[in-house]
């Protein structure tokens, strides 16, 4: 059976797609990235807190840190972290790809590659988000737990660093508005503020789904508020 | 804010939970495993086929095989593959855990640990399933693609090997019925056949959701048929 997906859908699959970079394409990608975040959170919520995975072991670090470091080494070998929105949490000593990779069109200002807020994401995830959406408890499935944490961290990081494309599109749409404050080094976070029209409604519907797993309904609104505030802050 | 999840939900979170092994608990876990499968398929469907990830490279194997092998080494180091339903695809030379693990109650007959149908799952996934739910094309995101394949393979394998608990529960419910054919080495697949009452309706609703990504609606019924036949075959 031949596959012929909807052309608009396909075109919007990759926000960094060169000349077709547009606010609509970026928004489409952001919505998909948010689905990935919610899938990852739902999967992690199936397991309880499992705190031993986060306490320092013999080697000095926690299982969670060990897993994220090693998983990123493997992903780098496979050719990951070549695009501006794929930013590793531990960028020191990542090996080069061992398999051939395909180049990606450079659509962002070179400065964009140095933008990284993963330290803030790491702290927010482990200190604030994780205790909110996981139940107290220890079922002993530590390896599975930290693999699910890694998926959550990667999804959050990708979505947040996609904000680089938002900034680029907004700048290209009105360079005359943004160039003077950029030269004057004014903080542009407010000017580049980005809201997706149906973002909140999608997030709410997904979070309601989350309730069927481990959370009390009243917690949802707290989680929704924290996550939204965090995502919007970096958009 | 204190978390106090619904007690029934919590109790059913782990089918291998010792004395509480029951058909209801196993069914609850199977439903959750199926959610994981569908999340993983949806995530993979966001990317096109990306065939270069599956063709043999310089080292002899494909990127997909390299990634699954290396990811399983990392997961084994983190303490994975200790439970009967967690079966690696390449079990040779897996390292021991480097972090402390927690023992799991032994509820299955010792023979269960030798049951593995991962070869069949591997062939089914790459030869039959993948071409059905991914669009033709190559977006160059090979590392991300094979990481998503690994998630699909793991979710399928877990769900299918959870059938070991189904067999155990059915045997314990009626040992007088199953002991004679087991001693006579009769094939018990038919006798242990397991269907979850709301399994099909859940799968259909998820697959309809999949259509919004890359698939034509008429393909869904084909995919549904193949996946259901495959899952039921091993249940």
């Amino acid at each position: 059976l031949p596959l012929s997906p909807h052309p608009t859908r396909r075109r919007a699959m990759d926000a960094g797609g060169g000349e077709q970079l547009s606010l609509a394409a970026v928004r489409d990608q952001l919505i998909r990235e948010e689905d990935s975040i919610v899938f990852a959170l739902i999967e992690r919520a199936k397991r309880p807190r499992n705190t031993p995975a986060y306490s320092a072991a013999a080697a000095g670090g926690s299982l969670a840190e060990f897993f994220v470091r090693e998983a990123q080494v493997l992903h780098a070998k496979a050719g990951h972290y070549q695009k501006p929105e794929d930013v590793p949490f531990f960028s020191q000593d990542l090996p080069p790809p061992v398999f051939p990779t395909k180049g990606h069109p450079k659509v962002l200002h070179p400065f964009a590659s140095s933008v990284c807020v993963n330290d803030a994401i790491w702290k927010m995830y482990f200190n604030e988000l994780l205790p909110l959406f996981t139940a107290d408890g220890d079922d002993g499935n530590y390896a599975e737990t930290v693999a699910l944490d890694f998926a959550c961290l990667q999804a959050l990081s990708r979505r947040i660093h996609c904000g680089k494309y938002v900034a680029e599109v907004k700048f290209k749409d009105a360079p005359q508005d943004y160039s003077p404050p950029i030269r004057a080094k004014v903080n542009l976070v407010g000017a580049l503020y980005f809201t997706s029209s149906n973002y909140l409604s999608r997030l709410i519907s997904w979070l309601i789904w989350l309730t069927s797993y481990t959370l009390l309904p009243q917690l949802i609104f707290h989680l929704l508020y924290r996550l939204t505030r965090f995502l919007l802050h970096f958009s």
Side-chain angles (χ1 to χ4, degrees), chain A residues 105-117:
Chain A
K106 302 268 181 293
V107 294
L108 298 185
H109 189 280
F111 179 74
S113 62
S114 68
V115 173
C116 171
V117 292

Side-chain angles (χ1 to χ4, degrees), chain A residues 27 30-31 34 37 117 120-121 124 129 156-157 159-164 166-167 170 187-204 223-235:
Chain A
R27 185 177 289 128
L30 292 185
I31 291 171
E34 283 149 18
I37 292 175
V117 292
I121 296 170
M124 181 281 297
L129 200 57
L156 283 164
S157 176
R159 162 64 184 78
I160 288 163
H161 289 105
C162 276
K164 296 175 183 180
V166 180
K170 294 220 167 186
N187 187 333
L188 277 177
V189 168
L192 293 169
Y193 214 88
F194 179 76
T195 49
S196 166
S197 59
N198 55 357
Y199 164 55
L200 274 181
S201 63
R202 287 176 68 89
L203 198 59
I204 289 169
L223 177 61
L224 172 71
Y225 167 74
R226 302 294 281 272
L227 186 61
T228 306
R229 204 187 54 173
F230 187 77
L231 288 176
L232 289 179
H233 175 71
F234 285 111
S235 289

Side-chain angles (χ1 to χ4, degrees), chain A residues 168-183 188:
Chain A
E168 183 71 16
V169 170
K170 294 220 167 186
F171 174 80
K172 285 204 170 140
D173 276 357
Q176 70 286 359
D177 293 345
Y178 293 114
S179 294
I182 286 171
R183 290 211 182 83
L188 277 177

Side-chain angles (χ1 to χ4, degrees), chain A residues 29 35 68 95 107 126 202 210 223:
Chain A
Q29 182 175 1
D35 285 347
V68 173
V107 294
F126 287 110
R202 287 176 68 89
L210 252 178
L223 177 61

Side-chain angles (χ1 to χ4, degrees), chain A residues 11-18 20-22 25-26 29 85 107 162 165:
Chain A
R11 203 161 46 73
M13 276 179 78
D14 204 336
Q20 69 221 19
L21 188 69
S22 70
V26 172
Q29 182 175 1
E85 69 269 37
V107 294
C162 276
Y165 295 109

